[in-house]
Amino acid sequence: MTTFSQELFSQEYARQLDAQDPISHLRDEFHIPKQANGEDEIYFCGNSLGLQPKRTQEYLNYELSQWQKLGVKGHFSGDFPWMPYHEFLTEESAKLVGAKKSEVVCMNSLTANLHFMMVSFYRPTAKRHKILIEDHAFPSDHYAVESQLRYHGHDPKESMLLATPRDGEPTLRTEDILKLIAEQGDEIALIMLPGVQYYTGQVLDMQAITKAGHAKGCKVGFDLAHAAGNIPMQLHDWNVDFAAWCSYKYLNSGPGSVAGCFVHEKHHNAEDFLNNELPRFAGWWGHDKESRFRMENNFMPIESVESWQLSNPPILSLAAIRASLDTVKQAGGIQVLRTKGIKLAAYLRQLLEQELSQDITILTPKETAASGCQLSLVVDLHGLDSKTVFDRIEAAGVTCDFRYPNVIRVAPVPLYNSFEDCYKFVTILKSSLEA
């Protein structure tokens, strides 16, 4: 756990920490929203929508210019031709999630990718038909799992297995998840959990869960919406079957931008698809690149995760992702961001504990390995509720978010947030509680 001086609650001390930060200059690479008085917002909402890198406009304008000048020839011309454009994102995406380049691709949206993955990896039988997710999963994940169960003729009340926290505890215990897998694993076809739980900010032990699931014959996949760009991962080495993530939170690629997908190389054998041992929905962008335009209507899957692609992707969105990935690369990669992210979250936590321990409960685990950038806060002050306090801090220049019934989520992210942001946030929060 990172420790700080006892004099940490001062603007001067926060500025000293920023002066010691080797990547503080990256804040200048982003557009920071302004308050009505012209000052920067305290933007702690990168867990929902990351800010725009300044280079994004340049990258988008380049593609608009190519379209303007070249028309359809832009698919094959210029520095970044559109035909292979998704390949320009592969190397940096692979580094983010700890994968081989053949295992990652940018395509579709997050929930669409989860559905496509379940087409392949949820293969229920009369005995093995359950899907394990967490209680209070992100609604879209819950809906996707529930609809997949119904599609296969199973009753979600019987086939949806929920991992729940213990009474009185806000977060899951790894030993309880592993115990559930050990006890019911013979009936579990698929484990699909988050890398980082959206509501509490808890980081799950993906490696241990994957190992336990495979030991019982389950397929294991993860929703990395709140993990990608937040924490380092080793999906290949952990032997995860599949994963999917959005790119507009910690990866700053713009609202609704194209998502990412991982499929372990052990599942890339074309014969597994052709023999229906690993079925998938097919489209022409997943067809062998050398023969794709022969139009022979004889699907031959690419022997990589690319075979799960359906259509050619939206280039403008991929250009925004390329801008965001280049910004991460400029920072030095995910390990550098994680190092600063740990320090930012620890500083914010210590400020809250020192100044507001009687009024605020932090749901997010304190252990570094079990937490990322996000802290989930609940107001405990008599006569006040979290939503009222959220409205007050928002009016005072803070952008974070509120999740019902009572959680304020704040996420100081290392690419553009500062230690001074953390100090200012706690100052505003204190005033809002006193009001």
Side-chain angles (χ1 to χ4, degrees):
M1 180 70 178
T2 300
T3 57
F4 299 96
S5 163
Q6 291 298 313
E7 304 299 323
L8 74 171
F9 192 64
S10 74
Q11 192 165 22
E12 180 182 359
Y13 183 69
R15 287 175 174 173
Q16 289 176 9
L17 293 177
D18 285 324
Q20 297 165 9
D21 172 21
I23 60 170
S24 61
H25 62 282
L26 289 173
R27 182 180 176 92
D28 295 333
E29 298 292 325
F30 288 84
H31 293 286
I32 311 295
K34 301 293 184 181
Q35 302 178 50
N37 62 8
E39 295 182 3
D40 288 350
E41 283 186 357
I42 312 300
Y43 193 87
F44 277 0
C45 210
N47 59 318
S48 186
L49 179 67
L51 293 182
Q52 183 188 130
K54 291 180 178 178
R55 70 181 71 199
T56 301
Q57 186 170 5
E58 173 193 344
Y59 287 23
L60 291 175
N61 283 342
Y62 176 81
E63 301 310 331
L64 291 172
S65 175
Q66 290 294 93
W67 180 21
Q68 181 184 69
K69 294 184 296 185
L70 300 174
V72 72
K73 296 183 180 68
H75 283 93
F76 312 100
S77 303
D79 295 332
F80 298 96
W82 304 330
M83 183 65 65
Y85 200 101
H86 64 277
E87 297 174 20
F88 303 135
L89 315 179
T90 300
E91 183 172 357
E92 296 306 316
S93 295
K95 292 176 183 177
L96 277 176
V97 298
K100 294 187 175 183
K101 291 191 289 185
S102 63
E103 296 174 324
V104 295
V105 67
C106 292
M107 65 180 192
N108 308 317
S109 61
L110 172 55
T111 305
N113 282 340
L114 292 176
H115 271 298
F116 289 130
M117 292 297 100
M118 283 189 278
V119 167
S120 296
F121 294 102
Y122 177 56
R123 308 298 299 162
T125 63
K127 179 182 178 181
R128 190 185 289 274
H129 55 85
K130 294 182 180 179
I131 300 179
L132 172 61
I133 63 172
E134 86 274 22
D135 191 27
H136 204 169
F138 189 77
S140 196
D141 289 19
H142 188 104
Y143 304 153
V145 167
E146 186 174 57
S147 63
Q148 285 282 340
L149 291 170
R150 294 187 186 281
Y151 177 78
H152 286 279
H154 294 286
D155 183 351
K157 293 180 181 178
E158 297 180 357
S159 297
M160 184 185 292
L161 184 60
L162 300 178
T164 59
R166 298 185 185 184
D167 289 343
E169 297 184 0
T171 56
L172 298 161
R173 292 197 186 191
T174 300
E175 61 264 33
D176 292 346
I177 298 174
L178 302 184
K179 184 173 182 286
L180 187 60
I181 294 170
E183 292 175 346
Q184 300 200 42
D186 292 338
E187 297 179 356
I188 298 173
L190 174 63
I191 298 167
M192 198 176 83
L193 293 167
V196 177
Q197 214 282 336
Y198 88 99
Y199 190 74
T200 65
Q202 178 186 13
V203 177
L204 299 189
D205 190 337
M206 289 177 270
Q207 183 177 15
I209 291 168
T210 302
K211 183 178 180 180
H214 286 166
K216 297 295 289 187
C218 315
K219 292 292 189 290
V220 184
F222 290 97
D223 176 346
L224 304 179
H226 290 267
N230 181 4
I231 60 171
M233 293 170 281
Q234 296 297 329
L235 298 185
H236 175 83
D237 291 346
W238 295 343
N239 207 23
V240 172
D241 291 299
F242 71 87
W245 58 93
C246 52
S247 63
Y248 50 79
K249 300 181 188 298
Y250 297 101
L251 296 180
N252 311 301
S253 63
S257 191
V258 169
C261 192
F262 163 91
V263 176
H264 198 281
E265 67 175 357
K266 65 186 177 182
H267 300 301
H268 294 175
N269 190 338
E271 292 299 317
D272 289 343
F273 169 76
L274 298 174
N275 296 332
N276 208 37
E277 294 180 15
L278 189 67
R280 71 202 69 166
F281 289 162
W284 81 316
W285 224 246
H287 183 91
D288 173 66
K289 298 174 187 178
E290 297 299 320
S291 59
R292 180 185 290 158
F293 285 94
R294 294 177 189 170
M295 307 301 194
E296 294 173 334
N297 288 343
N298 181 24
F299 186 73
M300 181 56 63
I302 305 168
E303 291 204 322
S304 77
V305 66
E306 291 176 293
S307 66
W308 274 267
Q309 295 176 115
L310 300 184
S311 304
N312 52 320
I315 298 302
L316 296 180
S317 182
L318 295 194
I321 297 175
R322 187 169 67 85
S324 67
L325 292 175
D326 281 357
T327 307
V328 172
K329 183 178 180 179
Q330 180 185 356
I334 186 61
Q335 292 290 349
V336 172
L337 296 181
R338 176 60 168 161
T339 297
K340 179 180 175 180
I342 289 171
K343 292 178 180 178
L344 274 176
Y347 180 61
L348 177 57
R349 182 185 288 272
Q350 287 189 245
L351 288 178
L352 291 167
E353 290 175 347
Q354 176 177 300
E355 302 297 317
L356 296 168
S357 61
Q358 302 301 311
D359 305 328
I360 296 290
T361 295
I362 303 173
L363 301 185
T364 311
K366 193 167 188 174
E367 299 78 17
T368 299
S371 61
C373 295
Q374 175 184 318
L375 295 183
S376 295
L377 314 180
V378 176
V379 175
D380 294 326
L381 192 61
H382 180 70
L384 272 182
D385 60 79
S386 296
K387 183 61 168 64
T388 299
V389 173
F390 169 78
D391 291 339
R392 289 178 179 178
I393 62 175
E394 186 175 56
V398 174
T399 294
C400 52
D401 68 10
F402 180 80
R403 287 292 178 265
Y404 285 96
N406 64 346
V407 165
I408 300 171
R409 303 189 308 172
V410 296
V413 300
L415 277 169
Y416 49 77
N417 281 127
S418 65
F419 292 92
E420 188 174 5
D421 284 340
C422 296
Y423 166 79
K424 289 180 178 179
F425 168 76
V426 174
T427 300
I428 292 170
L429 182 58
K430 285 184 68 174
S431 297
S432 299
L433 292 170
E434 291 166 0

